[in-house]
Amino acid sequence: MRLAMIGLGRMGSNLALRLMRGGHEVIGFDNNRANVDALAAQGGIAATSLEDLAGKFDGRRIFWVMLPAGAPTESTIETLCKIGSPGDIVIDGGNSFYKDDIRRAKSCSDCQIHYVDVGTSGGVWGLERGFCMMIGGEKEIVDLLDPVFDALAPGKGNLVPTRGRNLSDDRAERGYIHAGPAGAGHFVKMIHNGIEYGLMQAYAEGFDILKTKASEKLPEEERYTLDLTDIAEVWRRGSVISSWLLDLIAIGLAGDHDLAQFSGRVADSGEGRWTIDAAMEEAVPANVLTAALYARYRSRSDTTFGDKLLSAMRFGFGGHVEMPQ
């Protein structure tokens, strides 16, 4: 299947490469020409503009937009609606707000263009591990795109199927789901990221307590100088709190026990705030997720070792940089 990848940053380039490895043809466009040339050097098809990209299809066009949420994605989709043809498909694979998807799906429909939102998780590791995807859109179009999603997904791997599951649809076990109509994919991904905030904060606070156990503020007999690298490693093996996030903690601590390269000024990319907004709209208590978001705000004026650990995890899974001073 031939499709276009618009935006060849950390995620977009890896998505494109994984698709190409899966036998798909990818036309690449990015405002940074070096990113386009890098994809072309690995077998991709280079495009110099959105109009040039659209002209490289013989039939139905599939545009995958992988740009920052907000204005970059908005303006690009508006342009694609103008240059596209009836029956074309626009996919937003970034971290857009789900209500924007609902609006965009309607405007695309007015142009007889199909709109699909794909919440994409996997970070910089996705090229090798595969990407977990939560998809919103029309069933017929999502089914049509199944070969694309299947190529990007991790596959079943060696995970044992969950006892009691109905196996009539194994897409979830392969790493992707059709969550519902337009916006549903990004809504599920938004909550995923909100949960991620809470999990990361729990690890950060726990390791902060472990590190501070050596503090001179405590009675001498109660002080322990603990090896956080070994603690992270042993918890990876058989513990009930083992996870990929813990793997990233172990990697970060193995490189530097004190995480000196990180300031601890933890950024947030919007999904945590949107999750709390959704909780308020639905009158659902979200105590842990709210506290985790506020902790990131606090880190920008008063940092702790735990905040450095948050930055290390964000850098580990997504290459995310810290807030500037």
Side-chain angles (χ1 to χ4, degrees):
M1 189 174 287
R2 174 173 288 203
L3 74 160
M5 186 64 64
I6 302 166
L8 298 172
R10 291 188 301 266
M11 288 285 284
S13 60
N14 282 347
L15 286 163
L17 290 173
R18 189 166 176 92
L19 285 169
M20 289 158 55
R21 290 181 183 179
H24 298 279
E25 295 181 312
V26 177
I27 309 164
F29 173 67
D30 192 282
N31 286 329
N32 184 339
R33 182 66 197 188
N35 291 345
V36 179
D37 292 341
L39 183 69
Q42 299 188 69
I45 303 167
T48 57
S49 66
L50 292 178
E51 290 76 12
D52 179 45
L53 179 147
K56 295 184 182 296
F57 287 88
D58 293 327
R60 166 180 263 164
R61 303 178 182 95
I62 303 172
F63 304 108
W64 186 304
V65 180
M66 205 67 192
L67 297 170
T73 294
E74 195 76 36
S75 61
T76 299
I77 292 175
E78 287 178 1
T79 300
L80 293 174
C81 282
K82 292 175 183 176
I83 65 177
S85 300
D88 288 349
I89 302 170
V90 171
I91 303 168
D92 178 6
N95 280 326
S96 289
F97 185 42
Y98 78 99
K99 292 183 181 179
D100 290 335
D101 292 313
I102 296 170
R103 172 178 49 79
R104 289 182 194 140
K106 292 177 180 177
S107 61
C108 285
S109 179
D110 290 341
C111 301
Q112 301 181 59
I113 290 175
H114 304 283
Y115 183 87
V116 175
D117 55 286
V118 181
T120 311
S121 182
V124 296
W125 299 66
L127 176 59
E128 301 302 330
R129 292 169 57 117
F131 297 89
C132 171
M133 291 165 290
M134 297 133 272
I135 306 157
E138 306 160 71
K139 182 181 185 305
E140 177 187 357
I141 300 302
V142 173
D143 289 347
L144 175 72
L145 294 170
D146 192 75
V148 171
F149 301 134
D150 186 55
L152 290 171
K156 292 186 177 182
N158 58 5
L159 285 177
V160 177
T162 301
R163 288 197 304 272
R165 265 187 59 81
N166 180 349
L167 301 182
S168 60
D169 184 347
D170 70 346
R171 286 179 296 181
E173 293 180 354
R174 287 186 276 142
Y176 62 104
I177 59 169
H178 180 200
H186 277 148
F187 183 79
V188 175
K189 176 58 162 50
M190 180 184 81
I191 304 305
H192 163 284
N193 283 24
I195 292 170
E196 180 184 288
Y197 278 41
L199 292 172
M200 292 172 68
Q201 187 65 27
Y203 280 123
E205 292 176 8
F207 276 89
D208 207 355
I209 295 168
L210 291 169
K211 184 174 179 61
T212 308
K213 192 60 176 170
S215 172
E216 293 182 359
K217 296 177 180 179
L218 296 172
E220 185 173 358
E221 66 273 16
E222 294 180 13
R223 300 176 202 162
Y224 304 135
T225 301
L226 301 168
D227 189 324
L228 303 188
T229 307
D230 278 355
I231 292 171
E233 190 63 32
V234 75
W235 282 353
R236 293 180 63 217
R237 303 172 187 280
S239 164
V240 297
I241 63 167
S242 60
S243 71
W244 184 25
L245 288 172
L246 185 60
D247 294 346
L248 296 175
I249 290 172
I251 292 169
L253 291 172
D256 176 8
H257 189 269
D258 295 319
L259 302 176
Q261 73 181 93
F262 297 102
S263 71
R265 291 172 55 85
V266 188
D268 70 283
S269 53
E271 296 89 343
R273 283 171 278 167
W274 298 339
T275 298
I276 304 311
D277 288 343
M280 293 175 67
E281 289 175 357
E282 299 168 23
V284 174
N287 301 349
V288 172
L289 308 190
T290 303
L293 175 64
Y294 288 168
R296 294 195 178 195
Y297 295 158
R298 188 265 311 141
S299 76
R300 297 163 201 174
S301 60
D302 178 23
T303 61
T304 66
F305 177 76
D307 297 328
K308 292 185 175 185
L309 204 66
L310 287 175
S311 288
M313 281 186 273
R314 294 185 81 245
F315 182 78
F317 65 69
H320 300 296
V321 298
E322 296 180 299
M323 292 286 287
Q325 295 285 352

